[in-house]
Amino acid sequence: MNPPVRSRRTSRMWGLGVVFLLVCLFYIIRLAALELNPANIKGHKQDGTTERTVVVQAVRGQIYDRNGVPLVINQYTYHLTIDYSVLPAETNARNDVVLQALRMLEACGDVGKFCTYSFPFDGYYPNLTYKSTALDPASDTYDTVTSVVQANGLRREAILRIKDEKHMNTAEATEYYESTPLTCITAERLTRYFVKEYDLDAVDENGKRRYSNGDIDRLIRILWGMEASGFSRANDYVMARDVTMETITREKEMGIPGIGFTTDVARVYCYPGIASHILGQTGPIYAEEWPMYKELGYSMNAIVGKSGCEAAFEEYLHGRDGIKVIVEDEDGNIVREYMKSEAVAGKDVYLTIDIELQMAAEAALAENIAYIRQTYNRNECEKGAIVAMDPNGGGILAIASYPTYDLATYNRDYNSLAADERQPLLNRALGGLYAPGSTFKPGMVAAALTEGVITASTKLECAGTYTYYQSYQPDCWIHNSGGSVRQHGWINAATALQVSCNCYFYEVGRLMGIERMNRYCSLFGLGEPTGIELGEQIGSLAGPAHRQDLHGLEWQPTDTIAAAIGQSDNAFTPLQLGVYISTVVNGGNRYAAHLLHKVRDFSTREDVLVTRPILLNSVDLPEAHRLSVIEGMEKMITGSSSVSHYMRNVPVTVAGKTGTAQTGSKSTENGLFVCCAPSRNPEIVVVSVIERAGGGSYSAMSAGAVLEAYYAGK
């Protein structure tokens, strides 16, 4: 009788299933064999060796001033290390390597640089006792001891001993241990553990002690450091820091197995406390930055620029990391090393800064502020900025902000710096916004002359009060000066600049109108980015659009005359004022402000980039109009006894303009001063802004000192 059809189909399905499972099992076994075969593990060779790669960080480029004077350099320190993977496998052989390295350090005078890693003991073996810090639960040493104890199973051993000795259960013994762990594990017991674990009581073939008490003491200190620092194949042990070249040379001659060196590179500021606001800092890559730097090919542990020039010129300074391949045998011993790709050093960056002038500017600014405070009892005068630049190309010669700080101690001082109400971390030259006051007036004359609103000989009347508008009739400063003369009368542009007549400029502003005024102001660089490579505030140019955005109010004709004397909503950085004055006195060419002078290759010492002036825009400012402005600025210097006094030691003619900007209190107005020299063919522009100085002439002192320093160096 034939079996049922359903039964035959079921048998056939079972058979196919068994065959399928056998085939799958075959391939699984085959795949596992391939995967687990050392020859097929990534980096594993047929000869039993393995390869691992190590990133070799590129040397970071250094920063120099325009004359090649180093500002930020690399300082190398060398540390003696023990490499876990190269140490002998046998315990006593390892101990011998450590002792050999210690004796080498002693011979080279570097034993004092030995790293102790929170060593918890006082005294010398065999009479070691716990330090007080080891017994203090609030100390780092205590934390280190308890971590080492737990990592080596001593905690569990102590709890079991307590159970037996005190007849406690596990919970009770654990609670007893946790209350006084280092009473349960005494210094003697912990020392005995190290002696036993590392075979420090070993004897030689003659039954003689292999290590003296002195050797054991030194070995315990090293072995403790290894335990405390997590010494492993992935984590070398730093045995001594900042060792001498003699130690390095001696080690290379001796070739002690497992002993090597690591190199730390630190940024050193050659002029501590100088140019801190512009040089900037380096640091590790933050988590949120990693995707960007990864895309650029950086290693995760790379050091990058965080602020200032270090960040702005990162692309030049960083270089390219190399890759070293380390070949190890089956026991983890290094048998060969080679460079898969060589590290390429970063390029050196040369700034437009003249460090001698920078030091003079920082000193002059601090002295100017101190003078105002002491002489005029203005204790609120505590902050300021100064900029010196090339008006014919935009290069920054000096740029200072006060108060300042020291980059070398920045990390240590950060909390106090951040809490300081004077905001020393703020770079006021780039981030401080100030109403320009009367320093705005040279630009008004240049614009009005160019537009044909006035000529050099046009005279406008100052009657002491400007009465064109019924709703707003502001006084000229002379009207309220307390002198017998309360008006300037009929004056031309040069005289208006000399005496800083407000009524003259009220009328010029009315005749110009806000649209034409602001078109020229923008061309001169006011309220516009300067082009500086560092971060900056853009500032604001007073006008209908800004007033609407800022206050939601309509611009009134009377607002225009206030803007014409540098008030209203006008607010600019000292650097913007420098670009603006440079544009006016050089004949109308607005150049981008910049700090980068050139970039030089580290290896060839050849310049790979030399910056050229970047012309942002030009104003058709006829020579006669330029000279009319400069004439008025020259008269301003010679007509002011205080300002001319500050310029007495400058060997060339100076053209300048003071500015007094309201801050809400008459006695604490900001003082501004702008100038150029030589006046007719300027090669340097200086801007000084001092908060709460009381008037513009008080800021001329620091500008004069900068000009003196500039010409003293020529």
Side-chain angles (χ1 to χ4, degrees):
M1 180 178 175
N2 294 326
V5 174
R6 184 179 181 86
S7 178
R8 290 199 301 272
R9 186 178 298 129
T10 300
S11 298
R12 191 179 304 116
M13 292 295 291
W14 272 104
L16 289 172
V18 171
V19 171
F20 178 75
L21 288 172
L22 290 172
V23 170
C24 289
L25 184 60
F26 170 79
Y27 280 108
I28 289 171
I29 294 171
R30 177 60 178 161
L31 181 62
L34 289 171
E35 289 293 322
L36 295 175
N37 186 345
N40 295 295
I41 297 175
K42 185 177 181 180
H44 207 108
K45 304 298 183 181
Q46 291 289 345
D47 60 2
T49 61
T50 57
E51 291 184 353
R52 58 185 173 94
T53 58
V54 175
V55 174
V56 178
Q57 290 191 357
V59 175
R60 191 170 181 84
Q62 302 187 139
I63 301 177
Y64 299 83
D65 84 340
R66 66 186 301 113
N67 301 311
V69 178
L71 305 179
V72 185
I73 62 173
N74 298 315
Q75 184 177 73
Y76 298 88
T77 53
Y78 301 93
H79 312 311
L80 186 72
T81 60
I82 302 178
D83 188 335
Y84 183 96
S85 60
V86 188
L87 275 178
E90 198 269 321
T91 301
N92 288 135
R94 289 190 175 200
N95 293 339
D96 291 343
V97 163
V98 171
L99 286 173
Q100 195 175 1
L102 277 170
R103 292 181 183 120
M104 178 186 69
L105 286 170
E106 290 172 351
C108 297
D110 276 341
V111 71
K113 299 173 181 179
F114 166 61
C115 300
T116 59
Y117 293 93
S118 299
F119 189 64
F121 303 117
D122 276 330
Y124 296 93
Y125 181 83
N127 301 309
L128 294 172
T129 58
Y130 281 132
K131 293 178 178 177
S132 58
T133 53
L135 300 172
D136 179 4
S139 75
D140 291 339
T141 304
Y142 177 91
D143 291 339
T144 302
V145 174
T146 52
S147 295
V148 170
V149 163
Q150 183 156 339
N152 288 285
L154 297 179
R155 175 180 179 275
R156 181 175 178 277
E157 178 185 302
I159 291 171
L160 292 175
R161 188 176 68 254
I162 293 167
K163 280 180 65 179
D164 292 340
E165 292 176 356
K166 298 189 177 295
H167 307 291
M168 294 178 173
N169 60 36
T170 301
E172 291 171 334
T174 301
E175 184 179 355
Y176 182 89
Y177 170 83
E178 296 296 352
S179 65
T180 55
L182 299 190
T183 300
C184 302
I185 301 177
T186 62
E188 180 185 2
R189 193 177 292 276
L190 187 54
T191 302
R192 195 160 60 243
Y193 162 78
F194 273 90
V195 170
K196 179 180 178 182
E197 181 69 15
Y198 291 98
D199 204 17
L200 302 183
D201 55 357
V203 295
D204 60 20
E205 61 274 9
N206 298 319
K208 189 177 180 181
R209 289 177 61 193
R210 188 179 183 104
Y211 307 114
S212 66
N213 284 352
D215 288 340
I216 294 174
D217 183 84
R218 291 185 293 177
L219 283 169
I220 286 177
R221 294 170 192 273
I222 295 292
L223 295 169
W224 174 266
M226 291 179 175
E227 292 274 4
S229 64
F231 180 52
S232 66
R233 184 180 295 274
N235 184 30
D236 289 352
Y237 171 66
V238 178
M239 187 175 181
R241 293 189 177 276
D242 194 17
V243 297
T244 61
M245 288 303 299
E246 182 183 354
T247 294
I248 295 171
T249 303
R250 182 76 64 90
E251 193 283 326
K252 288 181 178 179
E253 292 172 351
M254 296 173 67
I256 306 172
I259 302 299
F261 295 93
T262 58
T263 306
D264 276 348
V265 184
R267 295 298 256 182
V268 174
Y269 306 98
C270 301
Y271 295 85
I274 301 297
S276 297
H277 285 101
I278 63 169
L279 292 177
Q281 289 185 298
T282 58
I285 296 172
Y286 301 143
E288 61 271 20
E289 299 173 324
W290 171 235
M292 177 190 72
Y293 282 110
K294 182 180 180 182
E295 186 71 20
L296 294 172
Y298 282 57
S299 63
M300 187 177 290
N301 62 343
I303 297 299
V304 298
K306 291 295 182 182
S307 61
C309 292
E310 291 279 18
F313 307 127
E314 171 69 19
E315 62 177 304
Y316 307 119
L317 294 166
H318 181 69
R320 188 176 68 246
D321 293 342
I323 300 294
K324 180 168 71 173
V325 178
I326 300 175
V327 183
E328 299 174 340
D329 63 18
E330 293 176 335
D331 295 324
N333 299 314
I334 297 176
V335 296
R336 188 162 64 98
E337 296 180 354
Y338 64 93
M339 293 299 297
K340 184 176 182 180
S341 60
E342 294 288 342
V344 178
K347 298 175 178 62
D348 292 331
V349 164
Y350 289 70
L351 303 181
T352 57
I353 294 294
D354 180 323
I355 191 58
E356 294 295 329
L357 192 64
Q358 178 72 26
M359 288 192 291
E362 298 205 24
L365 184 59
E367 290 167 8
N368 199 163
I369 290 172
Y371 176 79
I372 294 170
R373 287 170 60 86
Q374 294 165 9
T375 306
Y376 303 102
N377 198 30
R378 295 195 180 112
N379 293 327
E380 66 275 20
C381 179
E382 300 180 292
K383 311 164 190 173
I386 196 164
V387 174
M389 63 187 298
D390 171 14
N392 303 307
I396 305 299
L397 303 174
I399 185 166
S401 180
Y402 186 88
T404 187
Y405 60 98
D406 188 345
L407 279 170
T409 60
Y410 172 81
N411 292 329
R412 186 183 70 201
D413 300 339
Y414 177 78
N415 288 338
S416 60
L417 291 170
D420 192 329
E421 293 181 355
R422 300 175 304 158
Q423 297 179 282
L425 297 177
L426 172 64
N427 184 351
R428 289 176 165 79
L430 304 181
L433 293 175
Y434 304 95
S438 294
T439 62
F440 194 78
K441 292 172 180 176
M444 285 295 297
V445 170
L449 288 171
T450 303
E451 280 293 295
V453 170
I454 59 171
T455 67
S457 59
T458 299
K459 291 187 176 182
L460 301 175
E461 184 184 18
C462 169
T465 301
Y466 187 71
T467 59
Y468 184 88
Y469 297 106
Q470 291 296 320
S471 59
Y472 179 56
Q473 296 187 344
D475 294 330
C476 184
W477 68 267
I478 196 172
H479 184 76
N480 301 311
S481 64
S484 58
V485 177
R486 303 185 66 188
Q487 60 188 36
H488 290 114
W490 290 89
I491 56 175
N492 62 16
T495 302
L497 283 174
Q498 176 188 353
V499 299
S500 200
C501 176
N502 286 346
C503 287
Y504 182 96
F505 287 97
Y506 289 144
E507 180 65 3
V508 169
R510 185 189 70 79
L511 294 172
M512 283 284 289
I514 193 63
E515 288 78 14
R516 281 197 293 181
M517 275 174 52
N518 282 1
R519 182 166 64 86
Y520 278 90
C521 287
S522 295
L523 291 171
F524 292 153
L526 293 173
E528 299 291 327
T530 67
I532 193 73
E533 299 93 340
L534 310 186
E536 64 174 334
Q537 291 285 340
I538 303 305
S540 58
L541 189 59
H546 181 71
R547 176 64 59 82
Q548 183 65 39
D549 292 341
L550 187 65
H551 301 296
L553 300 174
E554 294 296 322
W555 185 262
Q556 302 298 323
T558 52
D559 292 323
T560 298
I561 65 173
I565 63 166
Q567 295 292 164
S568 185
D569 299 328
N570 285 316
F572 313 116
T573 66
L575 180 58
Q576 277 186 327
L577 292 175
V579 170
Y580 142 68
I581 289 297
S582 295
T583 305
V584 171
V585 302
N586 74 22
N589 294 319
R590 179 164 71 100
Y591 293 101
H594 62 278
L595 282 163
L596 183 63
H597 177 44
K598 64 182 179 181
V599 179
R600 179 168 288 181
D601 186 270
F602 176 82
S603 301
T604 65
R605 308 314 298 159
E606 294 180 354
D607 295 338
V608 296
L609 173 67
V610 178
T611 59
R612 297 286 182 263
I614 299 175
L615 183 64
L616 298 177
N617 62 256
S618 292
V619 181
D620 184 12
L621 184 60
E623 179 68 0
H625 298 166
R626 183 185 79 89
L627 292 177
S628 292
V629 174
I630 288 177
E631 178 188 354
M633 294 173 68
E634 287 175 340
K635 287 182 175 180
M636 184 269 137
I637 298 289
T638 57
S640 169
S641 58
S642 59
V643 175
S644 60
H645 174 76
Y646 295 135
M647 303 298 154
R648 69 192 185 281
N649 294 324
V650 180
V652 298
T653 303
V654 180
K657 186 72 190 78
T658 56
T660 302
Q662 297 173 3
T663 62
S665 172
K666 181 69 176 176
S667 65
T668 55
E669 295 169 320
N670 290 339
L672 299 93
F673 182 76
V674 299
C675 63
C676 64
S679 58
R680 299 299 169 111
N681 295 291
E683 58 188 22
I684 182 172
V685 161
V686 181
V687 175
S688 173
V689 178
I690 297 181
E691 296 183 25
R692 314 283 179 156
S697 62
Y698 301 112
S699 301
M701 177 182 174
S702 51
V706 169
L707 290 176
E708 284 184 43
Y710 177 79
Y711 284 103
K714 293 182 73 68

